[in-house]
């Protein structure tokens, strides 16, 4: 399951999406996530899924690689669907023991499942098509107005970029520790869910030690290179909007407006 986590990974290939300015991808991802909460009908989610499918096609990232990241959040998705299915009041559909499934509960469960799936895959597109360095530069540029309020923009962007970069590294380290303990007789696969969770507790100590050691090595490397933050630093590749970036912004705006308008019209018509 650890190998199924794609968040923070970068997929190297040549595509239009890879060549876009990171600010476009960050802003587009944010607007896409917002749109998932604005749509009031299933037509809106169909439009969102179609738009995401087009973006994935243009990114040249294999769809199997995108979907692989959903396995890591399967239990979260299952819990979300279960809570909405059994705890949403409304017209009774099926009742057994002390549990009742309502029409509104089924509708809410399906909506939340679709929304969470599109949200995870849409966020993965951004990280899979953007290098950590470009992601840092894009975040810093977009948060630049916050400097007026004395927010350390460069430091915040650097922290977020390092956190994303450390996700696959820590997953790989966890996999190595698990294999080492399995070779010494540890069992992580047998037993129920609680027993499996308890079996993972011995992984935490060596994993935390490894994480602190890597963080210390990174801090020493940055200090040895005289890193002093973002003040006065220049960029080898400054971010400049091009024609394709403006076209991308236009496509995102058209998607957002058309999706919201059509969704509201369908909702108002009661279809």
């Amino acid at each position: 399951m650890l190998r199924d986590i794609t968040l923070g990974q970068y997929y190297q290939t040549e595509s239009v999406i890879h060549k876009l300015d990171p600010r476009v991808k960050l802003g587009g991802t944010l607007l896409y996530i917002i749109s998932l909460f604005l749509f009031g009908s299933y037509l809106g989610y169909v439009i969102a899924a179609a738009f995401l499918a087009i973006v994935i096609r243009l990114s040249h990232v294999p769809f199997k690689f995108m979907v692989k990241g959903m396995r890591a959040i399967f239990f979260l998705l299952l819990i979300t669907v279960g809570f909405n299915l059994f705890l949403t009041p409304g017209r009774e559909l099926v009742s057994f023991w002390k549990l009742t499934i309502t029409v509104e509960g089924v509708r809410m469960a399906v909506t939340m499942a679709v929304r969470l799936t599109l949200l995870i895959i849409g966020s993965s597109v951004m990280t899979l098509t953007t290098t950590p360095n470009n992601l840092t530069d894009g975040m810093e540029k977009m948060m630049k107005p916050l400097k007026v309020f004395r927010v350390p923009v460069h430091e915040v962007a650097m922290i977020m970029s390092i956190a994303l970069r450390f996700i696959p590294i820590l997953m790989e380290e966890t996999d190595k520790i698990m294999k080492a303990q399995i070779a010494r007789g540890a069992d992580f696969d047998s037993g129920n869910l609680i027993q499996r969770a308890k079996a993972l507790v011995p992984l935490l100590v060596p994993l935390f030690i490894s994480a602190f050691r890597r963080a210390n090595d990174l801090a020493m490397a940055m200090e040895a290179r005289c890193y002093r933050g973002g003040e006065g630093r220049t960029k080898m590749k400054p971010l400049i909007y091009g024609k394709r970036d403006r076209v991308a912004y236009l496509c995102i705006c058209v998607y957002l407006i058309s999706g919201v308008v059509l969704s509201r019209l369908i909702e108002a018509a009661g279809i």
Side-chain angles (χ1 to χ4, degrees):
M1 187 179 71
L2 295 174
R3 296 179 181 178
D4 295 332
I5 298 177
T6 58
L7 185 64
Q9 298 185 23
Y10 174 69
Y11 190 89
Q12 178 66 45
T13 187
E14 290 291 330
S15 72
V16 177
I17 305 299
H18 282 72
K19 295 177 181 178
L20 287 176
D21 191 290
R23 291 171 292 179
V24 178
K25 286 181 275 190
L26 283 167
T29 302
L30 181 60
L31 290 175
Y32 183 77
I33 293 174
I34 292 174
S35 71
L36 296 176
F37 294 91
L38 292 178
F39 295 153
S41 68
Y42 290 114
L43 177 61
Y45 294 110
V46 172
I47 295 174
F51 179 78
L52 183 59
I54 294 173
V55 173
I56 294 174
R57 181 69 176 176
L58 293 175
S59 69
H60 295 169
V61 178
F63 184 70
K64 292 182 179 179
F65 197 81
M66 294 279 186
V67 177
K68 188 172 67 172
M70 292 299 300
R71 298 179 186 175
I73 64 162
F74 175 75
F75 287 107
L76 175 62
L77 184 63
L78 195 62
I79 292 172
T80 303
V81 170
F83 272 99
N84 286 280
L85 190 63
F86 295 110
L87 300 180
T88 303
R91 292 175 294 168
E92 182 177 323
L93 184 63
V94 179
S95 180
F96 58 94
W97 192 46
K98 296 182 179 181
L99 301 176
T100 302
I101 299 177
T102 62
V103 176
E104 289 76 10
V106 173
R107 185 182 295 112
M108 182 62 69
V110 173
T111 300
M112 292 301 296
V114 172
R115 182 181 293 169
L116 187 59
T117 301
L118 294 178
L119 190 150
I120 296 298
I121 297 178
S123 301
S124 298
V125 173
M126 179 190 67
T127 57
L128 288 169
T129 59
T130 313
T131 63
N133 290 335
N134 287 338
L135 201 59
T136 302
D137 293 342
M139 289 180 182
E140 185 177 356
K141 283 284 187 180
M142 293 188 70
M143 295 190 297
K144 196 172 182 179
L146 296 178
K147 286 185 177 181
V148 179
F149 303 101
R150 298 184 180 277
V151 176
V153 172
H154 178 79
E155 285 72 15
V156 171
M158 180 64 70
I159 291 171
M160 295 177 68
S161 176
I162 292 175
L164 286 174
R165 182 178 294 185
F166 262 61
I167 291 175
I169 295 175
L170 291 180
M171 291 302 102
E172 183 180 355
E173 189 72 22
T174 304
D175 190 45
K176 290 180 180 178
I177 296 173
M178 288 182 67
K179 289 180 179 179
Q181 294 194 4
I182 289 173
R184 292 172 174 84
D187 187 7
F188 297 103
D189 297 326
S190 63
N192 55 33
L193 186 61
I194 297 177
Q195 291 174 339
R196 292 184 182 183
K198 289 182 178 179
L200 293 175
V201 173
L203 293 175
L204 297 179
V205 174
L207 183 61
F208 271 103
I209 293 175
S210 175
F212 286 132
R213 184 174 63 249
R214 288 181 180 274
N216 184 60
D217 292 342
L218 178 61
M220 292 179 64
M222 295 174 70
E223 186 176 354
R225 289 167 175 79
C226 300
Y227 176 77
R228 292 294 182 271
E231 293 298 329
R233 293 174 63 89
T234 58
K235 303 291 184 182
M236 185 175 68
K237 296 180 180 180
L239 299 179
I240 301 175
Y241 283 124
K243 182 178 180 180
R244 67 168 66 94
D245 300 315
R246 298 184 182 92
V247 173
Y249 271 130
L250 179 62
C251 293
I252 294 169
C253 292
V254 170
Y255 150 74
L256 185 61
I257 294 173
S258 61
V260 172
V261 171
L262 290 176
S263 179
R264 296 301 179 185
L265 288 176
I266 294 296
E267 185 181 9
I271 299 177

